[in-house]
Amino acid sequence: MKGDFGLDAEGYGVADAPGPDGLRWTYANLALCRASLCAHIVPGTRVPLGPLLFEGMRQRAITAEVYLDGWENVGTPAQLQA
């Protein structure tokens, strides 16, 4: 499986390799984040989320859960309409 990150046995994200099960998962845009994740960013500055998450994973500060049910991308008004 090709994805963004692995998960270890305790549910922590693994940024640079698959999890111990050999799987990689895809981040699907649902998160609960602490303000400390982006406290160093100047307000109004745009930064990509991926590098912030991967750095948090390297610090063992990011946990995740696998969601195996249906999922729809709703990134545009047309996708929402559908």
Side-chain angles (χ1 to χ4, degrees):
M1 173 182 245
K2 187 175 181 179
D4 300 321
F5 61 91
L7 287 176
D8 72 14
E10 297 172 321
Y12 284 91
V14 179
D16 302 308
D21 56 7
L23 298 175
R24 294 179 79 84
W25 301 95
T26 298
Y27 174 65
N29 303 322
L30 178 65
L32 175 61
C33 300
R34 295 185 193 280
S36 60
L37 178 71
C38 54
H40 64 284
I41 300 168
V42 176
T45 304
R46 295 179 133 195
V47 298
L49 180 60
L52 295 173
L53 294 178
F54 291 136
E55 184 56 32
M57 288 178 196
R58 291 181 192 106
Q59 295 174 16
R60 286 189 57 86
I62 304 284
T63 59
E65 295 180 23
V66 176
Y67 179 74
L68 296 174
D69 208 347
W71 180 80
E72 294 290 331
N73 188 42
V74 184
T76 67
Q79 290 170 326
L80 180 59
Q81 179 82 20

